[in-house]
């Protein structure tokens, strides 16, 4: 049974010596990335320091593997680990560690449900149609039917490899996640529309405008625990940072779990500690403080 904890206000350990951290895992949006959605300059010297100390750094995101790999290409010597697509696709050194593929029939049901939501056929009494779009996430690429600039601007942020197709249910790829973008509030329209799947699948509100659907056996926590086993690393040797509901399970996989300053209330409740805002280099500051790393020059 999962034990929920109350987050502390501190970011550092009170021990006389730094903890034996071997793995640092961080969400991207709202956690590591700055207010402009970019990796802060302070991250690069930190990664170099962690590498020198033999500490594994792992981005864990709803983002596509190709997107994450491109973001860290300048420092990835071929050995970085990526937990992509909310844990459904884990890659180390360019090779797949694990994946969790959705049943094509489930993918079709999700897509049709969102099509009906967009057409207004789900709720005839709704004042207006939901402004939504589906992203079918395969190992090779992400696939979309909607192609207007506003929607594609959001898609490009998270899916470097993407294709516009006539029918996303007909693609020949292993589908590991279906993501739905709602220009309104995802918790109000999309999540209820997909509620029938909650007993058999993960239906996760991963941001104010995104809902992700995956197999029950897939989440960031499962991916982190699998990575820990492969590397021989314990939860006591793991630091994890997150801010939204798709980060909950991976917070449970680490003794050193941190909710960002603006994190969702449930994330704050689940984490052991708090970290400063992502707009104030919260991840970098916390890692340096807890591990007693030298100040950045």
């Amino acid at each position: 049974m999962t034990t929920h904890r109350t987050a502390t206000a501190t970011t550092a350990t009170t021990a006389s010596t730094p903890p034996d951290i071997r793995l640092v895992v961080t969400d991207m949006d709202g956690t590591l990335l700055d207010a402009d959605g970019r990796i802060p300059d302070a991250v690069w010297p930190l990664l170099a320091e962690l590498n020198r100390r033999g500490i594994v750094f792992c981005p864990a995101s709803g983002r596509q593997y190709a997107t994450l790999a491109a973001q860290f290409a300048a420092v990835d010597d071929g050995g970085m680990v990526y937990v992509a697509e909310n844990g459904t696709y884990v890659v180390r050194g360019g090779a797949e560690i694990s994946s969790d593929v959705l049943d094509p029939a489930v993918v079709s049901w999700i897509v049709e449900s969102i099509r009906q939501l967009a057409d207004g056929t789900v709720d005839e009494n709704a004042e207006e149609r939901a402004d939504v779009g589906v992203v079918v996430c395969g190992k090779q690429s992400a696939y979309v039917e909607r192609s207007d600039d506003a929607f594609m601007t959001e898609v490009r942020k998270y899916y470097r490899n993407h294709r516009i197709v006539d029918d996303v249910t007909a693609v020949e790829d292993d589908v590991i996640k279906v993501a739905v973008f709602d220009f309104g509030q995802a918790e109000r329209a999309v999540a209820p529309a997909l509620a029938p799947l909650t007993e058999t699948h993960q239906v996760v509100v991963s941001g104010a405008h995104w809902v992700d659907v995956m197999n029950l056996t897939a989440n960031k926590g499962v991916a982190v625990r699998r990575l820990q086993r492969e590397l021989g690393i314990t939860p006591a040797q793991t630091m994890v940072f997150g801010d939204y509901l798709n980060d909950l399970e991976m917070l449970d996989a680490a003794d050193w779990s941190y909710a960002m300053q603006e994190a969702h209330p449930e994330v704050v409740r689940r984490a052991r500690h708090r970290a400063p805002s992502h707009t104030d280099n919260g991840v970098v500051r916390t890692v340096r403080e807890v591990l007693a790393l030298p100040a950045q020059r």
Side-chain angles (χ1 to χ4, degrees):
M1 181 176 68
T2 299
T3 300
H4 296 168
R5 312 113 172 177
T6 300
T8 62
T10 61
T11 61
T13 175
T14 56
S16 57
T17 58
D20 179 27
I21 299 297
R22 305 290 180 86
L23 174 64
V24 176
V25 183
T26 179
D27 174 53
M28 296 290 284
D29 297 273
T31 302
L32 182 69
L33 303 184
D34 64 19
D36 297 319
R38 300 172 181 169
I39 298 176
D41 291 340
V43 168
W44 308 120
L46 173 64
L47 297 191
E49 183 68 27
L50 294 179
N51 187 55
R52 283 193 293 271
R53 293 169 180 253
I55 299 172
V56 177
F57 174 83
C58 172
S61 174
R63 292 177 178 235
Q64 182 185 56
Y65 163 62
T67 301
L68 294 173
Q71 288 178 292
F72 291 95
V75 296
D76 187 355
D77 60 1
M80 271 190 70
V81 181
Y82 301 92
V83 171
E85 307 280 16
N86 278 331
T88 60
Y89 195 42
V90 183
V91 177
R92 183 186 184 194
E96 178 182 320
I97 290 179
S98 64
S99 62
D100 205 324
V101 179
L102 282 166
D103 184 328
V106 173
V107 174
S108 295
W109 186 92
I110 297 168
V111 172
E112 183 56 33
S113 296
I114 299 305
R115 285 171 177 166
Q116 292 178 12
L117 189 64
D119 291 341
T121 55
V122 172
D123 184 358
E124 296 180 354
N125 296 320
E127 295 182 1
E128 57 185 18
R129 296 176 180 179
D131 193 359
V132 295
V134 176
V135 184
V136 170
C137 308
K139 291 183 182 180
Q140 300 174 33
S141 177
Y143 306 90
V144 299
E145 295 171 351
R146 182 171 171 173
S147 60
D148 58 284
D149 289 342
F151 178 64
M152 291 307 299
T153 294
E154 300 301 327
V155 170
R156 293 186 189 102
K157 291 179 184 178
Y158 307 99
Y159 301 98
R160 180 182 176 88
N161 291 351
H162 59 269
R163 302 177 194 172
I164 300 172
V165 297
D166 292 332
D167 183 0
V168 291
T169 66
V171 299
E172 295 184 0
D173 198 349
D174 288 331
V175 176
I176 48 182
K177 185 186 75 177
V178 178
V180 183
F181 183 83
D182 188 337
F183 282 92
Q185 292 296 312
E187 287 185 284
R188 295 180 182 175
V190 175
L194 300 179
L197 280 181
T198 54
E199 291 187 4
T200 57
H201 291 76
Q202 299 255 7
V203 180
V204 182
V205 180
S206 58
H209 303 285
W210 286 100
V211 174
D212 295 331
V213 182
M214 306 160 289
N215 287 327
L216 276 178
T217 48
N219 59 58
K220 291 183 183 181
V222 170
V224 170
R225 292 185 189 280
R226 186 171 291 152
L227 180 59
Q228 288 169 331
R229 289 195 297 271
E230 174 152 327
L231 299 177
I233 293 172
T234 68
Q237 296 171 315
T238 305
M239 293 183 75
V240 167
F241 297 85
D243 77 306
Y244 222 80
L245 299 177
N246 59 329
D247 299 320
L248 290 175
E249 291 85 1
M250 75 172 182
L251 293 172
D252 296 335
D255 287 5
W256 295 87
S257 57
Y258 289 83
M260 306 307 292
Q261 188 64 42
E262 300 92 345
H264 189 285
E266 179 60 20
V267 174
V268 174
R269 190 170 75 91
R270 195 88 147 235
R272 291 176 180 266
H273 307 282
R274 298 293 298 275
S277 172
H278 70 108
T279 63
D280 196 21
N281 284 336
V283 171
V284 173
R285 290 174 55 192
T286 301
V287 172
R288 286 194 172 276
E289 183 179 355
V290 172
L291 300 186
L293 300 182
Q296 183 181 343
R297 297 177 180 178

